[in-house]
Structures are given as C-alpha cells and as structure tokens.
Amino acid sequence: MRIVLLGAPGSGKGTQAARLKEALGVIHVSTGDLLRAQVAAGTELGRAAKAVMEAGQLVSDEIVLGMLEARLREADAAGGFILDGYPRNVAQAGALDALLARIGQPLDQAVQLDVDESLLFDRLAGRAAAEGRKDDNPETVRQRLSVYAAQTAPVIDFYAARGALKRVDGVGTVDEVLARILAALGVAVA
Ligand code: AP5
C-alpha cells in the first residue's frame, strides 16, 4: 500500500506512521526525519536546511524532492510506503505524482489527520519539554502552523478533488486514532 499522511504539525503523522508501518508491512518515509539526519550528519544539504527548519519555513522543493526520490528508489520501498511530511505544498503534490509515475508506484490514498490547533500547541509543548526539538518552541510552532495553513492545507483539496482523500479524527489515544485510520483504509485488524 502507498499512502500519504497529511496533517498539521503535531497532528500525529509520525506517531501513526510508526504504528501503520507495522500494521501494513511497508516503510515509513518522513522528510522531516530525512532532513534532521542530514543536519545531524553536517552534510552540505543539512547545513542548507538547518536555519530554514529552525525558522519554521519549508526547505526548498528541489532539495526535498531529490532526497525523497533517492529514498523511494531504495529496494525496501518496492513493497509500499507511508509518506509523512510530503507533499507540503501543491507543487510538491504534483512533483510526487510525477515521481511515483517514474518509479511505477502510484499512490493509493491520502489520509488527513484532523486535530484542533489548541491541542497541537499542547502536544508540541509536551514534545519540546521531553525531547528538546529545536522547532518546537511556541514562536516557531506558530510559524509552522501559519506555513501549514497557507501552503499545506491546499494539498488536502488536491487529493479530495480526485477522490483519494480520507479524513480521520486525530483526537483520542494513539490506539484509537490508529484504529480509525485502518478502518478508513479498509484494512481489517486481527
Ligand atoms: P516535520 O518533521 O515533518 O514536522 P511536522 O510536520 O511539523 O510534524 P511534527 O513532527 O511536528 O508532527 P507530527 O504530525 O509528525 O506529530 P507527531 O506524531 O510527531 O518537518 C519539520 C521541518 O522540516 C519543517 O518545518 C520543514 O522546515 C522541513 N520539512 C519537512 N518536510 C518538508 C517538505 N516536504 N518540504 C519542505 N520542508 C520540509 O506527534 C507530536 C507530539 O504529539 C509527540 O510528542 C507525540 O507523542 C504526541 N502525540 C501524537 N499522537 C498523539 C495522541 N493521539 N495523543 C496524544 N499525544 C499524541
């Protein structure tokens, strides 16, 4: 199965993707994690991305697409994948269609996790305290939410317009949200 997980910062994309990959037997590809790995390794790409990420802005489409294509061309992606954090704007959604056509792996479904903004702040404040992620401070979270509303929210309509979108309530326990996603995907749980 090939899925895009959509949702605002803190909506639970990473948390659910980690569980879904076990349930579906596919890989989890997070562009945020790929970028953070480049930053941690101090590569040229990571040095270019670091300040942009810490400001809560989007890294350039070209950099992210190149990184994503390299990952999806690895052998373990052949069995399917969950994309978390991509596409982030309508241009990336179009680029993803073209990439998936190039590698012969068309998308099955996009899943949108809906969570109220006040709860997003609470969750990211909790993660800031627990993990110290640099872009989880309140000011940068506000910026990330504003970028999401302006650039990423239109991606929801992009998939809805082609009848490939499932909307899922992302509020509840991790298990409850996981069960809703699997039900939306029509996956029977043992
Ligand atoms: P990225 O890493 O993608 O960050 P994000 O979209 O802001 O997502 P988050 O990781 O904050 O949230 P999430 O929805 O995954 O929630 P999570 O499960 O972690 O991107 C970071 C940056 O990289 C971007 O700002 C940008 O600069 C750059 N970037 C990445 N992709 C890009 C792209 N395609 N183009 C350009 N730039 C790009 O959960 C959050 C917290 O909530 C956790 O503490 C978790 O434990 C908790 N939680 C989760 N679910 C629940 C629940 N059900 N109940 C209670 N708590 C919960």
Side-chain angles (χ1 to χ4, degrees), residues 2-6 83 86-87 96 107-113 155-156 158-160 162-168 181 184-185:
R2 296 174 290 270
I3 299 167
V4 161
L5 261 190
L6 301 171
L83 289 189
Y86 195 98
L96 180 63
L107 198 67
D108 292 308
Q109 196 72 59
V111 176
Q112 162 73 15
L113 294 178
V155 174
I156 299 169
F158 178 94
Y159 289 111
R162 67 164 74 159
L165 181 78
K166 301 284 186 197
R167 295 192 83 125
V168 170
I181 297 172
L185 293 172

Side-chain angles (χ1 to χ4, degrees), residues 8-15 31-33 35-36 52-53 56-59 64 84-86 88 92 123-124 127 133 135 144 170 172-174 177:
S11 59
K13 302 181 298 296
T15 302
T31 46
D33 287 348
L35 286 164
R36 281 184 287 276
V52 179
M53 294 173 75
Q57 300 290 346
L58 296 185
V59 175
V64 181
D84 153 18
Y86 195 98
R88 227 41 185 227
Q92 290 189 4
R123 286 184 183 179
L124 295 178
R127 189 172 64 188
R133 204 172 113 174
D135 58 351
R144 286 161 60 200
T173 67
V174 171
V177 177

Side-chain angles (χ1 to χ4, degrees), residues 8-34:
S11 59
K13 302 181 298 296
T15 302
Q16 293 300 329
R19 303 284 295 275
L20 280 168
K21 73 172 186 180
E22 306 298 339
L24 302 175
V26 299
I27 62 163
H28 168 202
V29 179
S30 155
T31 46
D33 287 348
L34 291 175

Side-chain angles (χ1 to χ4, degrees), residues 37-53:
Q38 295 283 334
V39 172
T43 63
E44 191 180 332
L45 192 160
R47 286 196 297 277
K50 186 172 188 287
V52 179
M53 294 173 75

